[in-house]
Amino acid sequence: DGGITQSPKYLFRKEGQNVTLSCEQNLNHDAMYWYRQDPGQGLRLIYYSQIVNDFQKGDIAEGYSVSREKKESFPLTVTSAQKNPTAFYLCASSIPGSGGYTFGSGTRLTVV
Amino acid sequence: KQEVTQIPAALSVPEGENLVLNCSFTDSAIYNLQWFRQDPGKGLTSLLLIQSSQREQTSGRLNASLDKSSGRSTLYIAASQPGDSATYLCAVKINSGYALNFGKGTSLLVTP
């Protein structure tokens, strides 16, 4: 079955550490996205990519970095510059244009 | 910037009731609108996708309508069941953008 796989499901980060969240899709979608979800704030866009080797900043990109070397993969790195990284992170993909979005099951990141 | 508002923020109903969730958006130049369901600690599951040229979409007990001119969408759930308890999110894709703009969601509780 086609879908989006996010790993790990839970992740703990120490102060000053960089961590990478994985997102893989086998839907053959060109576009991929990373969202952050905080209680009471809704989903906010971190980065998105319309095609391989190209990506754009979203509304809250500071402290995050991404790469898009393969169509299937869009990893997100939370750097030490992100001062409040504790949140639920969701990856999504879509067909550019009028297609709907498919989401992964999320990664919960906690700073310890 | 597109603002998406969902009312009410929370709703509790007894099993068997029909109910309506509301979503409003400020920019009527949208590509499409998508309703999602989110269970606690989980990712988003797509329920219905309405293209800008459509007025409504139906899936089982769910019916979503779209009125672009007034900037509104409603999600109608017929004969509610305890298994419908979840948070329902409305998301809009605007013509000039690439990513979805989300409302903060309606938390639904259906009691037996």
Side-chain angles (χ1 to χ4, degrees), chain A residues 36-44 86-88 108, chain B residues 104:
Chain A
R36 169 178 172 146
Q37 187 176 35
D38 296 279
Q41 290 213 41
L43 277 75
R44 293 180 291 169
T86 295
F88 191 50
R108 183 163 301 280
Chain B
K104 294 183 179 180

Side-chain angles (χ1 to χ4, degrees), chain A residues 30-31 33 50 94-101, chain B residues 30-32 49 51 93-95 97-100:
Chain A
D30 288 310
Y33 312 82
Q50 297 294 295
S94 76
I95 299 171
S98 60
Y101 285 58
Chain B
I30 67 169
Y31 231 41
N32 58 41
L49 171 67
Q51 302 297 342
K93 184 175 181 180
I94 62 175
N95 288 345
Y98 294 100
L100 292 175

